[in-house]
Coordinates of all heavy atoms in Angstrom, one line a residue:
D257 N 110.3 68.4 85.2 CA 111.6 69.0 84.9 C 112.1 69.9 86.0 O 111.3 70.5 86.7 CB 111.6 69.7 83.5 CG 113.0 69.8 82.9 OD1 113.9 69.3 83.4 OD2 113.1 70.5 81.9
L258 N 113.4 70.1 86.1 CA 114.0 70.8 87.2 C 115.1 71.7 86.7 O 115.9 71.3 85.9 CB 114.5 69.8 88.2 CG 115.3 70.4 89.4 CD1 114.4 71.3 90.3 CD2 115.9 69.2 90.2
A259 N 115.0 73.0 87.1 CA 116.1 73.9 86.7 C 116.4 74.8 88.0 O 115.6 74.8 88.9 CB 115.7 74.8 85.6
G260 N 117.5 75.4 88.0 CA 117.9 76.3 89.1 C 118.7 77.5 88.7 O 119.1 77.6 87.6
F261 N 118.8 78.4 89.7 CA 119.5 79.6 89.5 C 120.2 80.0 90.8 O 119.6 79.9 91.9 CB 118.5 80.7 89.1 CG 119.0 82.1 89.1 CD1 119.7 82.6 88.0 CD2 118.9 83.0 90.2 CE1 120.2 83.9 87.9 CE2 119.4 84.3 90.1 CZ 120.0 84.7 89.0
S262 N 121.5 80.4 90.7 CA 122.2 80.7 91.9 C 123.0 82.0 91.7 O 123.3 82.4 90.5 CB 123.2 79.6 92.2 OG 123.8 79.9 93.5
V263 N 123.2 82.8 92.8 CA 124.0 84.0 92.8 C 125.1 83.9 93.8 O 124.9 83.4 94.9 CB 123.1 85.2 93.1 CG1 124.0 86.5 93.3 CG2 122.1 85.4 91.9
G264 N 126.3 84.3 93.4 CA 127.4 84.3 94.3 C 128.1 85.7 94.3 O 127.7 86.6 93.6
V265 N 129.1 85.8 95.1 CA 129.8 87.1 95.2 C 131.3 86.9 95.3 O 131.8 85.9 95.9 CB 129.4 87.9 96.5 CG1 129.8 87.2 97.8 CG2 129.9 89.3 96.5
V266 N 132.1 87.8 94.7 CA 133.5 87.7 94.7 C 134.0 89.2 94.8 O 133.4 90.1 94.1 CB 134.1 87.0 93.5 CG1 133.7 87.6 92.2 CG2 135.6 86.8 93.6
D267 N 135.1 89.4 95.5 CA 135.8 90.7 95.4 C 136.4 90.9 94.0 O 137.0 90.0 93.5 CB 136.9 90.8 96.5 CG 137.2 92.2 96.9 OD1 137.2 93.1 96.0 OD2 137.6 92.4 98.1
K268 N 136.2 92.1 93.4 CA 136.6 92.3 92.1 C 138.1 92.0 91.9 O 138.5 91.5 90.8 CB 136.3 93.7 91.6 CG 136.5 94.0 90.2 CD 136.0 95.4 89.7 CE 136.2 95.5 88.2 NZ 135.7 96.8 87.7
C269 N 138.9 92.3 92.9 CA 140.3 92.1 92.7 C 140.7 90.6 92.8 O 141.8 90.2 92.5 CB 141.1 92.8 93.8 SG 140.8 92.3 95.5
K270 N 139.7 89.7 93.2 CA 140.0 88.3 93.3 C 139.3 87.5 92.2 O 139.4 86.2 92.3 CB 139.6 87.8 94.7 CG 140.4 88.4 95.8 CD 139.9 87.9 97.2 CE 140.8 88.5 98.3 NZ 140.3 88.0 99.6
I271 N 138.7 88.1 91.2 CA 138.1 87.4 90.2 C 139.1 86.6 89.4 O 140.1 87.2 88.9 CB 137.3 88.3 89.2 CG1 136.1 89.0 90.0 CG2 136.8 87.6 88.0 CD1 135.4 90.0 89.1
L272 N 138.8 85.3 89.2 CA 139.8 84.5 88.4 C 139.5 84.7 86.9 O 138.3 84.6 86.5 CB 139.6 83.0 88.7 CG 140.0 82.6 90.2 CD1 139.8 81.1 90.3 CD2 141.4 83.0 90.5
D273 N 140.5 84.9 86.1 CA 140.4 84.9 84.7 C 141.6 84.1 84.1 O 142.3 83.4 84.8 CB 140.3 86.3 84.1 CG 141.5 87.2 84.5 OD1 142.6 86.7 84.7 OD2 141.3 88.4 84.6
T274 N 141.8 84.3 82.8 CA 142.9 83.5 82.2 C 144.2 84.3 82.0 O 145.2 83.7 81.5 CB 142.5 82.9 80.9 OG1 142.2 84.0 80.0 CG2 141.2 82.1 81.0
A275 N 144.2 85.5 82.5 CA 145.3 86.4 82.1 C 146.7 86.0 82.7 O 147.7 86.2 82.0 CB 145.0 87.8 82.7
S276 N 146.7 85.3 83.8 CA 148.0 84.9 84.4 C 148.4 83.5 84.0 O 149.5 83.1 84.4 CB 147.8 84.9 85.9 OG 146.9 84.0 86.4
V277 N 147.6 82.8 83.2 CA 148.0 81.4 82.8 C 149.1 81.5 81.8 O 149.1 82.3 80.8 CB 146.8 80.7 82.1 CG1 147.2 79.3 81.7 CG2 145.7 80.6 83.2
R278 N 150.1 80.7 82.0 CA 151.3 80.6 81.1 C 151.6 79.2 80.6 O 151.2 78.2 81.3 CB 152.6 81.1 81.9 CG 152.4 82.5 82.4 CD 152.6 83.5 81.2 NE 152.6 84.9 81.8 CZ 151.4 85.6 81.9 NH1 150.3 85.1 81.6 NH2 151.5 86.9 82.4
S279 N 152.2 79.1 79.5 CA 152.7 77.8 79.0 C 153.6 77.2 80.1 O 154.5 77.8 80.6 CB 153.4 77.9 77.7 OG 153.9 76.7 77.3
G280 N 153.4 75.9 80.4 CA 154.2 75.2 81.4 C 153.5 75.1 82.7 O 153.9 74.4 83.6
D281 N 152.4 75.9 82.9 CA 151.6 75.7 84.1 C 151.0 74.3 84.2 O 150.8 73.7 83.1 CB 150.5 76.8 84.1 CG 151.0 78.2 84.5 OD1 152.0 78.2 85.2 OD2 150.3 79.2 84.2
V282 N 150.6 73.9 85.4 CA 150.2 72.6 85.6 C 148.6 72.5 85.7 O 148.0 73.4 86.3 CB 150.8 72.0 86.8 CG1 150.3 70.6 87.1 CG2 152.3 72.0 86.7
I283 N 148.0 71.5 85.1 CA 146.6 71.2 85.2 C 146.3 70.1 86.2 O 146.8 69.0 86.0 CB 146.0 70.9 83.8 CG1 146.2 72.1 82.8 CG2 144.5 70.6 84.0 CD1 145.8 71.7 81.4
I284 N 145.6 70.4 87.2 CA 145.3 69.4 88.3 C 143.8 69.0 88.1 O 142.9 69.9 87.9 CB 145.5 70.0 89.7 CG1 146.9 70.3 89.9 CG2 144.9 69.0 90.8 CD1 147.2 71.0 91.3
G285 N 143.5 67.7 88.1 CA 142.2 67.2 87.9 C 141.6 66.9 89.3 O 142.2 66.2 90.1

């Protein structure tokens, strides 16, 4: 069996969350 663990970094001011999402925004696949 195989499992993994990773660590990344992001500037706090650039963290993506859902706060700016609005109705009418477009979803790209």
